[in-house]
Amino acid sequence: MAYLVGNIGSLIINDSMWGVVHQKKKHAFAVEGDKIIWVGEESKAPACDARLDVEGGCVIPGFVDSHAHPVFAGSRELEFAARMAGETYQAGGINSTVTATRAASKNELRANLQRLQSELFAGGITHFEAKSGYGLDVETERISLEVAREFTEDTTFLGAHLVPLGANPDSYVDLVTGEMLEAAAPLAKWIDVFCDEGAFDLEQSRRVLLAGIARGLKPRIHANQIRNIGAIDLAIELDCASADHCTHLSDHDVDLLAGGNTVATFLPGAEFSTRSAYPNAGRLLNAGARIAIATDCNPGSSFTTSMGFCIAVAVREMGLSVDQAFYAATIGGANALRDDTLGNITEGNRADFAVLDAPNHFYFAYRPGVQLVTQTFVAGKKVFERK
Ligand code: NIG
Ligand code: FE
């Protein structure tokens, strides 16, 4: 049972050349099961059982959100308001979400994630990563990952998000790399650590990532959000799939990222919501590194589910063209998750796409904050329709 997506005003396709985005006219594509099986001029389309007429709308590949912390309870708007009144962001705020998450039932965590997933879909995100990291004890980290796994294959164990209040840092790293990792490993694909001032230092981070790797997880890292403590060296040393935040980068870091296999993932919502200086993402592209943009959805430093918002901020503040930011939010996210079946409308890829009430993808930056997505499809099935 194949269907053709036709009458597309502009079909947005990413080139294999980094940052090059095409706006194809008179193009259509065919979907069978969960995959795209054909892309080309509509006049040459193969016979299909059904047709989805998008009435001249623009169709984009779904956004790939490669960095999100959507398993939690509670909120921190007072902390946000205090920051906007002059307080600085510190890693320690995580503890208040930990208290709320530990007190929540599994059903509440699931319902919270369900609601966030609806928002992600409404903004055109069709695939997302989900980290644990607001449990920080064996039981709550396990439950967090069980819930995350109901929604995505890209689950990430982030027991090393913060040393919980009252714990001894070295004993806590023992727990994360021991009993907690044992509980998490069957449920997670990735291991992550917040390697930064006020969280985990380089040695502790290396221990966490190496223990995860030894247990079959693949590494990624929160690097240099608050201060540059050398996390990029560690990311390259361990071939992390991505180094995320990259708010503070030295020339040495830029050279390393340009020469390595690690994607630099930018999180514009985090600088926005912590009132921090924006890093220059364009500098990395010019050096030859690969980049991604992600939401970092979490209740503390970036409580957004909108990739459109992140693209708009990246274009306005981080030295990217609209095409580059769009590419980073689609192919970039797929690269950061090391999954080449996502992030583009091309034969063989998962059929993840969104229809826009706009002529092209420039509108995400040109009309910031506006609901442009009218329909979203994941693996060939409709998951969102604008009322
Ligand atoms: O990616 N940097 C560490 N973790 C989150 C923030 C967590 C929080 O403040 O709750 C982030 O920004
Ligand atoms: Fe994060």
Side-chain angles (χ1 to χ4, degrees), residues 67 69 76 79 83 89-95 97 131 133-134 158 161 194 196 199 222-223 225-226 244-245 267 270 274 296-302:
H67 184 136
H69 307 246
R76 281 154 55 195
E79 183 191 311
R83 271 202 307 277
Y89 177 73
Q90 282 161 351
I94 291 169
N95 272 314
T97 302
K131 302 177 193 293
Y134 289 116
L158 181 58
H161 199 184
F194 186 9
D196 217 314
H222 278 71
Q225 175 188 11
I226 293 167
D244 300 50
H245 284 282
L267 309 170
T274 60
D296 193 20
C297 177
N298 78 78
S301 66
S302 181

PDB file of all heavy atoms in Angstrom, residues 67 69 76 79 83 89-95 97 131 133-134 158 161 194 196 199 222-223 225-226 244-245 267 270 274 296-302, ligand 1:
ATOM      1  N   HIS A  67      19.168  16.328  20.929  1.00  0.00           N
ATOM      2  CA  HIS A  67      19.521  16.621  22.329  1.00  0.00           C
ATOM      3  C   HIS A  67      18.281  17.124  23.059  1.00  0.00           C
ATOM      4  O   HIS A  67      17.830  18.255  22.840  1.00  0.00           O
ATOM      5  CB  HIS A  67      20.635  17.680  22.367  1.00  0.00           C
ATOM      6  CG  HIS A  67      21.142  18.000  23.740  1.00  0.00           C
ATOM      7  ND1 HIS A  67      22.497  18.124  24.027  1.00  0.00           N
ATOM      8  CD2 HIS A  67      20.508  18.241  24.905  1.00  0.00           C
ATOM      9  CE1 HIS A  67      22.650  18.429  25.304  1.00  0.00           C
ATOM     10  NE2 HIS A  67      21.451  18.505  25.871  1.00  0.00           N
ATOM     11  N   HIS A  69      16.003  16.639  27.032  1.00  0.00           N
ATOM     12  CA  HIS A  69      15.853  16.072  28.389  1.00  0.00           C
ATOM     13  C   HIS A  69      14.361  16.078  28.742  1.00  0.00           C
ATOM     14  O   HIS A  69      13.944  16.815  29.651  1.00  0.00           O
ATOM     15  CB  HIS A  69      16.568  16.933  29.431  1.00  0.00           C
ATOM     16  CG  HIS A  69      18.013  17.258  29.204  1.00  0.00           C
ATOM     17  ND1 HIS A  69      19.012  16.791  30.020  1.00  0.00           N
ATOM     18  CD2 HIS A  69      18.635  18.035  28.280  1.00  0.00           C
ATOM     19  CE1 HIS A  69      20.192  17.281  29.623  1.00  0.00           C
ATOM     20  NE2 HIS A  69      19.988  18.040  28.565  1.00  0.00           N
ATOM     21  N   ARG A  76      10.511  25.293  36.431  1.00  0.00           N
ATOM     22  CA  ARG A  76      11.437  26.207  37.129  1.00  0.00           C
ATOM     23  C   ARG A  76      11.316  27.636  36.609  1.00  0.00           C
ATOM     24  O   ARG A  76      12.323  28.312  36.390  1.00  0.00           O
ATOM     25  CB  ARG A  76      12.866  25.673  36.989  1.00  0.00           C
ATOM     26  CG  ARG A  76      13.131  24.526  37.959  1.00  0.00           C
ATOM     27  CD  ARG A  76      14.198  23.565  37.533  1.00  0.00           C
ATOM     28  NE  ARG A  76      15.474  24.142  37.242  1.00  0.00           N
ATOM     29  CZ  ARG A  76      16.442  23.491  36.572  1.00  0.00           C
ATOM     30  NH1 ARG A  76      16.256  22.242  36.174  1.00  0.00           N
ATOM     31  NH2 ARG A  76      17.589  24.075  36.325  1.00  0.00           N
ATOM     32  N   GLU A  79      13.104  30.305  38.740  1.00  0.00           N
ATOM     33  CA  GLU A  79      14.554  30.372  38.498  1.00  0.00           C
ATOM     34  C   GLU A  79      14.824  31.163  37.209  1.00  0.00           C
ATOM     35  O   GLU A  79      15.746  31.986  37.147  1.00  0.00           O
ATOM     36  CB  GLU A  79      15.088  28.935  38.387  1.00  0.00           C
ATOM     37  CG  GLU A  79      16.577  28.818  38.207  1.00  0.00           C
ATOM     38  CD  GLU A  79      16.978  27.378  37.847  1.00  0.00           C
ATOM     39  OE1 GLU A  79      16.536  26.429  38.528  1.00  0.00           O
ATOM     40  OE2 GLU A  79      17.746  27.217  36.869  1.00  0.00           O
ATOM     41  N   ARG A  83      16.822  34.739  36.801  1.00  0.00           N
ATOM     42  CA  ARG A  83      17.946  34.942  35.863  1.00  0.00           C
ATOM     43  C   ARG A  83      17.716  36.177  35.013  1.00  0.00           C
ATOM     44  O   ARG A  83      18.629  36.963  34.776  1.00  0.00           O
ATOM     45  CB  ARG A  83      18.090  33.736  34.940  1.00  0.00           C
ATOM     46  CG  ARG A  83      18.982  32.666  35.468  1.00  0.00           C
ATOM     47  CD  ARG A  83      19.524  31.788  34.370  1.00  0.00           C
ATOM     48  NE  ARG A  83      18.537  31.217  33.488  1.00  0.00           N
ATOM     49  CZ  ARG A  83      17.832  30.113  33.748  1.00  0.00           C
ATOM     50  NH1 ARG A  83      18.005  29.469  34.877  1.00  0.00           N
ATOM     51  NH2 ARG A  83      16.970  29.652  32.875  1.00  0.00           N
ATOM     52  N   TYR A  89      23.231  31.565  35.566  1.00  0.00           N
ATOM     53  CA  TYR A  89      22.846  30.153  35.502  1.00  0.00           C
ATOM     54  C   TYR A  89      23.936  29.294  36.128  1.00  0.00           C
ATOM     55  O   TYR A  89      25.103  29.452  35.844  1.00  0.00           O
ATOM     56  CB  TYR A  89      22.637  29.710  34.047  1.00  0.00           C
ATOM     57  CG  TYR A  89      22.296  28.238  33.924  1.00  0.00           C
ATOM     58  CD1 TYR A  89      21.032  27.774  34.292  1.00  0.00           C
ATOM     59  CD2 TYR A  89      23.234  27.317  33.484  1.00  0.00           C
ATOM     60  CE1 TYR A  89      20.712  26.429  34.208  1.00  0.00           C
ATOM     61  CE2 TYR A  89      22.918  25.961  33.393  1.00  0.00           C
ATOM     62  CZ  TYR A  89      21.657  25.537  33.758  1.00  0.00           C
ATOM     63  OH  TYR A  89      21.335  24.200  33.678  1.00  0.00           O
ATOM     64  N   GLN A  90      23.500  28.368  37.006  1.00  0.00           N
ATOM     65  CA  GLN A  90      24.439  27.418  37.604  1.00  0.00           C
ATOM     66  C   GLN A  90      23.878  26.015  37.488  1.00  0.00           C
ATOM     67  O   GLN A  90      22.658  25.818  37.552  1.00  0.00           O
ATOM     68  CB  GLN A  90      24.661  27.754  39.079  1.00  0.00           C
ATOM     69  CG  GLN A  90      25.604  28.936  39.237  1.00  0.00           C
ATOM     70  CD  GLN A  90      25.505  29.582  40.599  1.00  0.00           C
ATOM     71  OE1 GLN A  90      24.617  29.260  41.383  1.00  0.00           O
ATOM     72  NE2 GLN A  90      26.423  30.481  40.877  1.00  0.00           N
ATOM     73  N   ALA A  91      24.797  25.039  37.336  1.00  0.00           N
ATOM     74  CA  ALA A  91      24.382  23.644  37.152  1.00  0.00           C
ATOM     75  C   ALA A  91      23.478  23.172  38.292  1.00  0.00           C
ATOM     76  O   ALA A  91      22.603  22.323  38.088  1.00  0.00           O
ATOM     77  CB  ALA A  91      25.624  22.759  37.029  1.00  0.00           C
ATOM     78  N   GLY A  92      23.685  23.732  39.491  1.00  0.00           N
ATOM     79  CA  GLY A  92      22.983  23.249  40.682  1.00  0.00           C
ATOM     80  C   GLY A  92      21.462  23.303  40.631  1.00  0.00           C
ATOM     81  O   GLY A  92      20.777  22.600  41.375  1.00  0.00           O
ATOM     82  N   GLY A  93      20.889  24.120  39.747  1.00  0.00           N
ATOM     83  CA  GLY A  93      19.436  24.228  39.620  1.00  0.00           C
ATOM     84  C   GLY A  93      18.783  22.897  39.265  1.00  0.00           C
ATOM     85  O   GLY A  93      17.601  22.669  39.547  1.00  0.00           O
ATOM     86  N   ILE A  94      19.569  22.016  38.653  1.00  0.00           N
ATOM     87  CA  ILE A  94      19.087  20.680  38.276  1.00  0.00           C
ATOM     88  C   ILE A  94      18.454  19.986  39.484  1.00  0.00           C
ATOM     89  O   ILE A  94      17.474  19.256  39.345  1.00  0.00           O
ATOM     90  CB  ILE A  94      20.271  19.856  37.711  1.00  0.00           C
ATOM     91  CG1 ILE A  94      20.717  20.439  36.356  1.00  0.00           C
ATOM     92  CG2 ILE A  94      19.922  18.371  37.578  1.00  0.00           C
ATOM     93  CD1 ILE A  94      22.045  19.881  35.841  1.00  0.00           C
ATOM     94  N   ASN A  95      19.012  20.221  40.687  1.00  0.00           N
ATOM     95  CA  ASN A  95      18.524  19.536  41.890  1.00  0.00           C
ATOM     96  C   ASN A  95      17.034  19.737  42.144  1.00  0.00           C
ATOM     97  O   ASN A  95      16.373  18.837  42.666  1.00  0.00           O
ATOM     98  CB  ASN A  95      19.308  20.015  43.123  1.00  0.00           C
ATOM     99  CG  ASN A  95      20.566  19.174  43.317  1.00  0.00           C
ATOM    100  OD1 ASN A  95      20.519  17.943  43.229  1.00  0.00           O
ATOM    101  ND2 ASN A  95      21.684  19.834  43.539  1.00  0.00           N
ATOM    102  N   THR A  97      14.665  20.007  39.960  1.00  0.00           N
ATOM    103  CA  THR A  97      13.918  19.100  39.083  1.00  0.00           C
ATOM    104  C   THR A  97      14.084  17.653  39.549  1.00  0.00           C
ATOM    105  O   THR A  97      13.166  16.836  39.418  1.00  0.00           O
ATOM    106  CB  THR A  97      14.392  19.256  37.618  1.00  0.00           C
ATOM    107  OG1 THR A  97      14.211  20.619  37.232  1.00  0.00           O
ATOM    108  CG2 THR A  97      13.607  18.361  36.673  1.00  0.00           C
ATOM    109  N   LYS A 131      17.036  11.948  27.161  1.00  0.00           N
ATOM    110  CA  LYS A 131      18.026  11.650  28.205  1.00  0.00           C
ATOM    111  C   LYS A 131      17.325  11.402  29.535  1.00  0.00           C
ATOM    112  O   LYS A 131      16.295  12.026  29.825  1.00  0.00           O
ATOM    113  CB  LYS A 131      18.974  12.838  28.397  1.00  0.00           C
ATOM    114  CG  LYS A 131      19.722  13.250  27.137  1.00  0.00           C
ATOM    115  CD  LYS A 131      20.585  14.485  27.418  1.00  0.00           C
ATOM    116  CE  LYS A 131      21.106  15.129  26.139  1.00  0.00           C
ATOM    117  NZ  LYS A 131      22.059  14.324  25.392  1.00  0.00           N
ATOM    118  N   GLY A 133      18.483  11.606  33.746  1.00  0.00           N
ATOM    119  CA  GLY A 133      19.352  12.596  34.374  1.00  0.00           C
ATOM    120  C   GLY A 133      18.662  13.491  35.389  1.00  0.00           C
ATOM    121  O   GLY A 133      19.290  14.382  35.964  1.00  0.00           O
ATOM    122  N   TYR A 134      17.344  13.240  35.603  1.00  0.00           N
ATOM    123  CA  TYR A 134      16.667  13.966  36.679  1.00  0.00           C
ATOM    124  C   TYR A 134      16.208  12.996  37.774  1.00  0.00           C
ATOM    125  O   TYR A 134      15.324  13.324  38.560  1.00  0.00           O
ATOM    126  CB  TYR A 134      15.484  14.769  36.134  1.00  0.00           C
ATOM    127  CG  TYR A 134      15.898  15.961  35.299  1.00  0.00           C
ATOM    128  CD1 TYR A 134      15.578  16.040  33.950  1.00  0.00           C
ATOM    129  CD2 TYR A 134      16.626  17.014  35.863  1.00  0.00           C
ATOM    130  CE1 TYR A 134      15.958  17.141  33.193  1.00  0.00           C
ATOM    131  CE2 TYR A 134      17.015  18.114  35.108  1.00  0.00           C
ATOM    132  CZ  TYR A 134      16.681  18.166  33.776  1.00  0.00           C
ATOM    133  OH  TYR A 134      17.061  19.255  33.030  1.00  0.00           O
ATOM    134  N   LEU A 158      22.030   9.577  31.421  1.00  0.00           N
ATOM    135  CA  LEU A 158      22.750  10.756  31.917  1.00  0.00           C
ATOM    136  C   LEU A 158      22.711  10.772  33.448  1.00  0.00           C
ATOM    137  O   LEU A 158      22.357  11.771  34.066  1.00  0.00           O
ATOM    138  CB  LEU A 158      22.146  12.037  31.294  1.00  0.00           C
ATOM    139  CG  LEU A 158      22.748  13.392  31.657  1.00  0.00           C
ATOM    140  CD1 LEU A 158      24.233  13.481  31.319  1.00  0.00           C
ATOM    141  CD2 LEU A 158      22.001  14.537  30.981  1.00  0.00           C
ATOM    142  N   HIS A 161      24.618  13.721  35.459  1.00  0.00           N
ATOM    143  CA  HIS A 161      24.116  15.063  35.128  1.00  0.00           C
ATOM    144  C   HIS A 161      24.578  16.038  36.202  1.00  0.00           C
ATOM    145  O   HIS A 161      24.933  17.180  35.916  1.00  0.00           O
ATOM    146  CB  HIS A 161      22.585  15.006  35.055  1.00  0.00           C
ATOM    147  CG  HIS A 161      21.951  16.132  34.305  1.00  0.00           C
ATOM    148  ND1 HIS A 161      20.594  16.278  34.208  1.00  0.00           N
ATOM    149  CD2 HIS A 161      22.484  17.174  33.604  1.00  0.00           C
ATOM    150  CE1 HIS A 161      20.318  17.354  33.484  1.00  0.00           C
ATOM    151  NE2 HIS A 161      21.450  17.916  33.113  1.00  0.00           N
ATOM    152  N   PHE A 194      27.668  15.499  31.926  1.00  0.00           N
ATOM    153  CA  PHE A 194      27.743  16.967  31.940  1.00  0.00           C
ATOM    154  C   PHE A 194      29.153  17.317  32.426  1.00  0.00           C
ATOM    155  O   PHE A 194      29.419  17.346  33.627  1.00  0.00           O
ATOM    156  CB  PHE A 194      26.651  17.492  32.869  1.00  0.00           C
ATOM    157  CG  PHE A 194      26.481  18.995  32.902  1.00  0.00           C
ATOM    158  CD1 PHE A 194      27.130  19.847  32.021  1.00  0.00           C
ATOM    159  CD2 PHE A 194      25.604  19.563  33.828  1.00  0.00           C
ATOM    160  CE1 PHE A 194      26.937  21.225  32.066  1.00  0.00           C
ATOM    161  CE2 PHE A 194      25.397  20.934  33.890  1.00  0.00           C
ATOM    162  CZ  PHE A 194      26.066  21.762  33.004  1.00  0.00           C
ATOM    163  N   ASP A 196      31.562  19.844  33.002  1.00  0.00           N
ATOM    164  CA  ASP A 196      31.592  21.309  33.083  1.00  0.00           C
ATOM    165  C   ASP A 196      31.844  21.753  34.518  1.00  0.00           C
ATOM    166  O   ASP A 196      31.772  20.945  35.455  1.00  0.00           O
ATOM    167  CB  ASP A 196      30.243  21.881  32.592  1.00  0.00           C
ATOM    168  CG  ASP A 196      30.408  23.175  31.815  1.00  0.00           C
ATOM    169  OD1 ASP A 196      31.156  24.059  32.269  1.00  0.00           O
ATOM    170  OD2 ASP A 196      29.780  23.286  30.751  1.00  0.00           O
ATOM    171  N   ALA A 199      29.746  20.596  37.632  1.00  0.00           N
ATOM    172  CA  ALA A 199      29.144  19.284  37.377  1.00  0.00           C
ATOM    173  C   ALA A 199      30.244  18.217  37.524  1.00  0.00           C
ATOM    174  O   ALA A 199      30.647  17.919  38.649  1.00  0.00           O
ATOM    175  CB  ALA A 199      28.484  19.260  36.008  1.00  0.00           C
ATOM    176  N   HIS A 222      28.034  16.575  27.173  1.00  0.00           N
ATOM    177  CA  HIS A 222      27.733  17.996  27.386  1.00  0.00           C
ATOM    178  C   HIS A 222      29.076  18.692  27.592  1.00  0.00           C
ATOM    179  O   HIS A 222      29.758  18.451  28.591  1.00  0.00           O
ATOM    180  CB  HIS A 222      26.904  18.184  28.654  1.00  0.00           C
ATOM    181  CG  HIS A 222      25.440  17.943  28.487  1.00  0.00           C
ATOM    182  ND1 HIS A 222      24.904  16.701  28.301  1.00  0.00           N
ATOM    183  CD2 HIS A 222      24.396  18.814  28.488  1.00  0.00           C
ATOM    184  CE1 HIS A 222      23.581  16.818  28.204  1.00  0.00           C
ATOM    185  NE2 HIS A 222      23.254  18.075  28.318  1.00  0.00           N
ATOM    186  N   ALA A 223      29.438  19.567  26.666  1.00  0.00           N
ATOM    187  CA  ALA A 223      30.787  20.124  26.680  1.00  0.00           C
ATOM    188  C   ALA A 223      30.784  21.646  26.680  1.00  0.00           C
ATOM    189  O   ALA A 223      30.172  22.281  25.818  1.00  0.00           O
ATOM    190  CB  ALA A 223      31.543  19.626  25.442  1.00  0.00           C
ATOM    191  N   GLN A 225      29.559  24.272  28.330  1.00  0.00           N
ATOM    192  CA  GLN A 225      28.406  25.186  28.389  1.00  0.00           C
ATOM    193  C   GLN A 225      28.721  26.381  29.292  1.00  0.00           C
ATOM    194  O   GLN A 225      28.486  27.522  28.936  1.00  0.00           O
ATOM    195  CB  GLN A 225      27.153  24.460  28.923  1.00  0.00           C
ATOM    196  CG  GLN A 225      25.957  25.407  29.125  1.00  0.00           C
ATOM    197  CD  GLN A 225      24.767  24.763  29.817  1.00  0.00           C
ATOM    198  OE1 GLN A 225      24.862  23.655  30.344  1.00  0.00           O
ATOM    199  NE2 GLN A 225      23.648  25.455  29.832  1.00  0.00           N
ATOM    200  N   ILE A 226      29.250  26.072  30.472  1.00  0.00           N
ATOM    201  CA  ILE A 226      29.448  27.127  31.470  1.00  0.00           C
ATOM    202  C   ILE A 226      30.874  27.685  31.380  1.00  0.00           C
ATOM    203  O   ILE A 226      31.102  28.887  31.434  1.00  0.00           O
ATOM    204  CB  ILE A 226      29.116  26.564  32.868  1.00  0.00           C
ATOM    205  CG1 ILE A 226      27.599  26.259  32.911  1.00  0.00           C
ATOM    206  CG2 ILE A 226      29.515  27.538  33.974  1.00  0.00           C
ATOM    207  CD1 ILE A 226      27.154  25.425  34.071  1.00  0.00           C
ATOM    208  N   ASP A 244      28.033  18.629  22.869  1.00  0.00           N
ATOM    209  CA  ASP A 244      26.853  19.484  22.867  1.00  0.00           C
ATOM    210  C   ASP A 244      27.009  20.718  23.752  1.00  0.00           C
ATOM    211  O   ASP A 244      27.601  20.632  24.827  1.00  0.00           O
ATOM    212  CB  ASP A 244      25.660  18.669  23.362  1.00  0.00           C
ATOM    213  CG  ASP A 244      25.377  17.461  22.475  1.00  0.00           C
ATOM    214  OD1 ASP A 244      26.323  16.701  22.190  1.00  0.00           O
ATOM    215  OD2 ASP A 244      24.227  17.279  22.082  1.00  0.00           O
ATOM    216  N   HIS A 245      26.469  21.810  23.286  1.00  0.00           N
ATOM    217  CA  HIS A 245      26.534  23.173  23.824  1.00  0.00           C
ATOM    218  C   HIS A 245      27.635  23.932  23.089  1.00  0.00           C
ATOM    219  O   HIS A 245      27.354  24.844  22.355  1.00  0.00           O
ATOM    220  CB  HIS A 245      26.757  23.243  25.343  1.00  0.00           C
ATOM    221  CG  HIS A 245      25.539  22.927  26.140  1.00  0.00           C
ATOM    222  ND1 HIS A 245      24.526  23.817  26.315  1.00  0.00           N
ATOM    223  CD2 HIS A 245      25.171  21.798  26.799  1.00  0.00           C
ATOM    224  CE1 HIS A 245      23.572  23.271  27.052  1.00  0.00           C
ATOM    225  NE2 HIS A 245      23.934  22.037  27.358  1.00  0.00           N
ATOM    226  N   LEU A 267      22.876  24.592  20.917  1.00  0.00           N
ATOM    227  CA  LEU A 267      21.593  24.598  21.608  1.00  0.00           C
ATOM    228  C   LEU A 267      21.184  26.047  21.859  1.00  0.00           C
ATOM    229  O   LEU A 267      21.347  26.575  22.967  1.00  0.00           O
ATOM    230  CB  LEU A 267      21.724  23.810  22.921  1.00  0.00           C
ATOM    231  CG  LEU A 267      22.353  22.408  22.760  1.00  0.00           C
ATOM    232  CD1 LEU A 267      22.676  21.785  24.119  1.00  0.00           C
ATOM    233  CD2 LEU A 267      21.433  21.481  21.973  1.00  0.00           C
ATOM    234  N   ALA A 270      19.400  27.287  24.967  1.00  0.00           N
ATOM    235  CA  ALA A 270      20.115  27.342  26.251  1.00  0.00           C
ATOM    236  C   ALA A 270      20.768  28.716  26.457  1.00  0.00           C
ATOM    237  O   ALA A 270      20.667  29.292  27.547  1.00  0.00           O
ATOM    238  CB  ALA A 270      21.148  26.229  26.334  1.00  0.00           C
ATOM    239  N   THR A 274      19.394  31.247  29.363  1.00  0.00           N
ATOM    240  CA  THR A 274      20.313  31.506  30.473  1.00  0.00           C
ATOM    241  C   THR A 274      20.985  32.883  30.287  1.00  0.00           C
ATOM    242  O   THR A 274      21.880  33.235  31.039  1.00  0.00           O
ATOM    243  CB  THR A 274      21.411  30.418  30.577  1.00  0.00           C
ATOM    244  OG1 THR A 274      22.162  30.388  29.358  1.00  0.00           O
ATOM    245  CG2 THR A 274      20.813  29.053  30.828  1.00  0.00           C
ATOM    246  N   ASP A 296      17.481  21.012  23.205  1.00  0.00           N
ATOM    247  CA  ASP A 296      17.903  20.885  24.603  1.00  0.00           C
ATOM    248  C   ASP A 296      16.704  20.924  25.544  1.00  0.00           C
ATOM    249  O   ASP A 296      16.847  21.281  26.723  1.00  0.00           O
ATOM    250  CB  ASP A 296      18.915  21.979  24.963  1.00  0.00           C
ATOM    251  CG  ASP A 296      19.634  21.728  26.284  1.00  0.00           C
ATOM    252  OD1 ASP A 296      19.637  20.567  26.732  1.00  0.00           O
ATOM    253  OD2 ASP A 296      20.187  22.687  26.859  1.00  0.00           O
ATOM    254  N   CYS A 297      15.516  20.579  25.048  1.00  0.00           N
ATOM    255  CA  CYS A 297      14.301  20.723  25.863  1.00  0.00           C
ATOM    256  C   CYS A 297      14.492  20.199  27.287  1.00  0.00           C
ATOM    257  O   CYS A 297      14.725  19.004  27.499  1.00  0.00           O
ATOM    258  CB  CYS A 297      13.142  19.991  25.182  1.00  0.00           C
ATOM    259  SG  CYS A 297      11.633  20.056  26.153  1.00  0.00           S
ATOM    260  N   ASN A 298      14.437  21.086  28.259  1.00  0.00           N
ATOM    261  CA  ASN A 298      14.564  20.744  29.680  1.00  0.00           C
ATOM    262  C   ASN A 298      13.977  21.898  30.485  1.00  0.00           C
ATOM    263  O   ASN A 298      13.886  23.014  29.984  1.00  0.00           O
ATOM    264  CB  ASN A 298      16.043  20.478  30.042  1.00  0.00           C
ATOM    265  CG  ASN A 298      16.837  21.756  30.209  1.00  0.00           C
ATOM    266  OD1 ASN A 298      16.755  22.425  31.244  1.00  0.00           O
ATOM    267  ND2 ASN A 298      17.611  22.134  29.193  1.00  0.00           N
ATOM    268  N   PRO A 299      13.565  21.637  31.733  1.00  0.00           N
ATOM    269  CA  PRO A 299      12.843  22.679  32.474  1.00  0.00           C
ATOM    270  C   PRO A 299      13.738  23.790  33.028  1.00  0.00           C
ATOM    271  O   PRO A 299      13.225  24.808  33.512  1.00  0.00           O
ATOM    272  CB  PRO A 299      12.205  21.904  33.631  1.00  0.00           C
ATOM    273  CG  PRO A 299      13.132  20.751  33.849  1.00  0.00           C
ATOM    274  CD  PRO A 299      13.651  20.384  32.486  1.00  0.00           C
ATOM    275  N   GLY A 300      15.072  23.611  32.942  1.00  0.00           N
ATOM    276  CA  GLY A 300      15.964  24.588  33.558  1.00  0.00           C
ATOM    277  C   GLY A 300      16.536  25.586  32.578  1.00  0.00           C
ATOM    278  O   GLY A 300      16.341  26.796  32.699  1.00  0.00           O
ATOM    279  N   SER A 301      17.247  25.079  31.578  1.00  0.00           N
ATOM    280  CA  SER A 301      18.042  25.990  30.748  1.00  0.00           C
ATOM    281  C   SER A 301      17.474  26.214  29.362  1.00  0.00           C
ATOM    282  O   SER A 301      18.007  27.048  28.612  1.00  0.00           O
ATOM    283  CB  SER A 301      19.469  25.452  30.619  1.00  0.00           C
ATOM    284  OG  SER A 301      19.460  24.239  29.909  1.00  0.00           O
ATOM    285  N   SER A 302      16.408  25.493  28.979  1.00  0.00           N
ATOM    286  CA  SER A 302      15.893  25.664  27.612  1.00  0.00           C
ATOM    287  C   SER A 302      14.547  24.957  27.494  1.00  0.00           C
ATOM    288  O   SER A 302      14.455  23.882  26.917  1.00  0.00           O
ATOM    289  CB  SER A 302      16.894  25.057  26.604  1.00  0.00           C
ATOM    290  OG  SER A 302      16.433  25.225  25.284  1.00  0.00           O
TER     291      SER A 302
HETATM  292  O1  NIG B   1      21.747  20.733  28.680  1.00  0.00           O
HETATM  293  N1  NIG B   1      23.751  21.300  30.850  1.00  0.00           N
HETATM  294  C1  NIG B   1      23.216  20.406  31.480  1.00  0.00           C
HETATM  295  N2  NIG B   1      21.966  19.990  31.382  1.00  0.00           N
HETATM  296  C2  NIG B   1      20.908  20.781  30.854  1.00  0.00           C
HETATM  297  C3  NIG B   1      20.367  21.721  31.861  1.00  0.00           C
HETATM  298  C4  NIG B   1      19.716  21.045  32.945  1.00  0.00           C
HETATM  299  C5  NIG B   1      18.947  21.897  33.885  1.00  0.00           C
HETATM  300  O2  NIG B   1      19.294  23.071  34.168  1.00  0.00           O
HETATM  301  O3  NIG B   1      17.966  21.320  34.394  1.00  0.00           O
HETATM  302  C6  NIG B   1      21.338  21.451  29.585  1.00  0.00           C
HETATM  303  O4  NIG B   1      21.277  22.679  29.423  1.00  0.00           O
END
